[in-house]
């Protein structure tokens, strides 16, 4: 007697699957929650697990990962409405042996269940010679050999192929995200540069008047440099506070939109950019002051009034 465990929260669908799969040598247990499924696995031994992903008390994928981490090699078929390529890749990567999307044919489901049961029962090993081919069942090399020729009747997509496509998909998002962050960073630096420079150039008359009433060049230069450094401090504090305030909402939105990434807040980018702002805050006032110092106070007053 072969025993199957079905985890499906849709009662009507679950009963229909049980009727379709149950036979003289197959017995099937239906559970509608992960908690009941765990109890059934702890109580009885099963030959195959049919698992829905969206269950009332948790994710079937999390359950599958936990199931595989426990060391169990029982075949698992995922039965779900999630039909995106990334969903299929994620399911197979999590440890599933097959992936069936809803709606489905009961005849197809029965055939795939029987195929998994046969594969699990046979578990062939060693090498088999047939028609000039050497089949190594332990290492599954026969698939690569049969499919190597363009005229081969066998075509298959391995988990490695899906894994490679999925990694390319992830890399595309990583590259686009990196470029977007770099553009935003460059725009921020240019805006900071523009703000500091405009602040100094728009106050040329004020600086000339201060020197006319007795402020020395050294004092004026120190004042401008300190203003630039205060701009840096203010920019760093505002960036840190805004990123900390937006982090909870942004984290949830990003993780919901891109399930294959885990959002983790870090203050490192802000800390890395602060020295750049500090350098600009010091260098811009010093350079502009040096250019302005080439003119006399009277010349600067006249230029500011014209």
């Amino acid at each position: 007697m072969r025993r199957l465990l079905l985890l499906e929260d849709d009662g009507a669908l679950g009963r229909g699957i049980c009727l379709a799969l149950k036979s003289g040598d197959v017995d099937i247990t239906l559970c509608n929650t992960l908690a009941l499924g765990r109890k059934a696995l702890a109580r009885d031994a099963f030959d195959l697990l049919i698992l829905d992903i969206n269950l009332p008390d948790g994710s079937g994928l999390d359950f599958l990962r936990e199931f595989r981490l426990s060391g169990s090699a029982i075949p698992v078929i995922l039965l779900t409405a999630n039909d995106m390529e990334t969903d299929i890749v994620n399911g197979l990567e999590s440890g599933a042996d097959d992936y069936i999307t809803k709606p489905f044919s009961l005849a197809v489901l029965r055939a795939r269940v029987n195929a998994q049961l046969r594969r699990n029962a046979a578990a062939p090993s060693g090498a088999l010679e047939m028609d000039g081919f050497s089949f190594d069942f332990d290492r599954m090399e026969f698939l690569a050999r049969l499919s190597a020729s363009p005229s081969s009747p066998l075509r298959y997509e391995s988990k490695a192929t899906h894994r490679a496509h999925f990694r390319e998909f992830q890399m595309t998002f990583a590259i686009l995200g990196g470029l977007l962050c770099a553009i935003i960073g460059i725009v921020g630096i240019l805006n900071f540069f523009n703000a500091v420079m405009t602040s100094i150039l728009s106050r040329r008359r004020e600086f000339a008047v201060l020197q006319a009433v007795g402020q020395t060049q050294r004092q004026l230069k120190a004042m401008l440099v300190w203003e630039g450094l205060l701009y840096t401090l203010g920019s760093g504090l505002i960036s840190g506070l805004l990123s900390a305030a937006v982090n909870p909402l942004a984290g949830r939105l990003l993780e919901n939109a891109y399930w294959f990434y885990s959002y983790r807040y870090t203050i490192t980018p802000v800390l890395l950019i602060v020295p750049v702002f500090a350098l600009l805050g010091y260098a811009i006032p010093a350079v502009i002051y040096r250019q302005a110092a080439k003119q006399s106070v009277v010349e600067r007053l006249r230029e500011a009034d014209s």
Side-chain angles (χ1 to χ4, degrees):
M1 176 69 70
R2 293 174 295 181
R3 305 200 60 186
L4 279 61
L5 175 61
L6 171 61
L7 272 69
E8 171 61 60
D9 62 329
D10 187 328
L13 177 60
R15 289 189 294 272
I17 293 174
C18 289
L19 288 174
L21 297 181
K22 194 169 184 178
S23 63
D25 63 339
V26 174
D27 182 56
I28 184 166
T29 300
L30 173 62
C31 298
N32 58 7
T33 65
L34 293 176
L36 293 175
R38 289 188 177 94
K39 290 181 181 178
L41 287 168
R43 183 178 63 249
D44 301 313
F46 293 94
D47 299 294
L48 178 68
L49 173 61
I50 303 174
L51 176 63
D52 190 8
I53 290 180
N54 302 310
L55 291 163
D57 56 343
S59 167
L61 289 179
D62 293 337
F63 176 83
L64 176 57
R65 296 186 189 102
E66 172 190 326
F67 188 61
R68 289 305 187 210
L69 285 174
S70 69
S72 177
I74 298 174
V76 177
I77 298 177
L78 287 177
L79 194 64
T80 175
N82 301 343
D83 58 355
M84 298 291 290
E85 180 181 353
T86 51
D87 297 324
I88 298 173
V89 171
N90 195 32
L92 296 174
E93 286 286 299
S94 298
D97 297 275
D98 203 350
Y99 194 104
I100 302 176
T101 58
K102 302 175 183 177
F104 58 89
S105 163
L106 287 174
V108 171
L109 174 62
R110 188 186 303 112
R112 292 196 176 187
V113 166
N114 289 335
Q116 290 295 335
L117 291 174
R118 285 196 305 272
R119 187 177 297 115
N120 192 43
S125 61
L128 173 67
E129 297 289 335
M130 184 177 68
D131 294 335
F133 291 96
S134 177
F135 303 95
D136 188 343
F137 289 98
D138 288 333
R139 299 174 62 187
M140 300 299 284
E141 288 184 352
F142 70 98
L143 287 175
R145 294 180 182 180
L146 278 179
S147 60
S149 171
S151 60
S152 171
L154 180 62
R155 290 290 180 268
Y156 74 98
E157 282 192 343
S158 67
K159 287 184 178 180
T161 302
H162 283 288
R163 188 182 297 116
H165 289 164
F166 182 61
R167 285 174 179 166
E168 291 175 0
F169 183 70
Q170 280 186 307
M171 183 60 66
T172 300
F173 271 86
I175 292 173
L176 290 176
L179 289 174
L180 181 60
C181 290
I183 292 171
I184 293 174
I186 293 171
V187 170
I189 292 174
L190 292 177
N191 283 337
F192 179 81
F193 179 88
N194 182 63
V196 175
M197 188 171 65
T198 302
S199 172
I200 296 174
L201 294 177
S202 63
R203 296 157 60 200
R204 287 179 299 173
R205 178 180 175 79
E206 174 188 339
F207 300 148
V209 171
L210 288 174
Q211 284 191 287
V213 298
Q215 188 177 46
T216 65
Q217 291 185 353
R218 183 175 181 179
Q219 289 173 331
L220 179 58
K221 180 180 178 181
M223 182 186 75
L224 294 176
V225 169
W226 278 111
E227 282 186 0
L229 295 178
L230 286 175
Y231 271 120
T232 299
L233 179 61
S235 299
L237 288 176
I238 292 173
S239 299
L241 291 175
L242 284 177
S243 62
V246 174
N247 168 60
L249 176 61
R252 287 194 296 270
L253 290 175
L254 290 173
E255 286 192 337
N256 290 335
Y258 309 109
W259 55 264
F260 45 84
Y261 282 119
S262 297
Y263 182 82
R264 184 176 66 254
Y265 174 69
T266 175
I267 196 69
T268 303
V270 177
L271 297 178
L272 290 176
I273 205 66
V274 165
V276 177
F277 278 12
L279 180 61
L280 290 175
Y282 176 85
I284 295 172
V287 171
I288 294 178
Y289 172 78
R290 182 176 298 177
Q291 294 297 322
K294 295 178 180 179
Q295 295 177 307
S296 66
V297 174
V298 175
E299 289 174 332
R300 277 182 278 166
L301 285 172
R302 288 176 179 171
E303 184 178 339
D305 288 336
S306 59

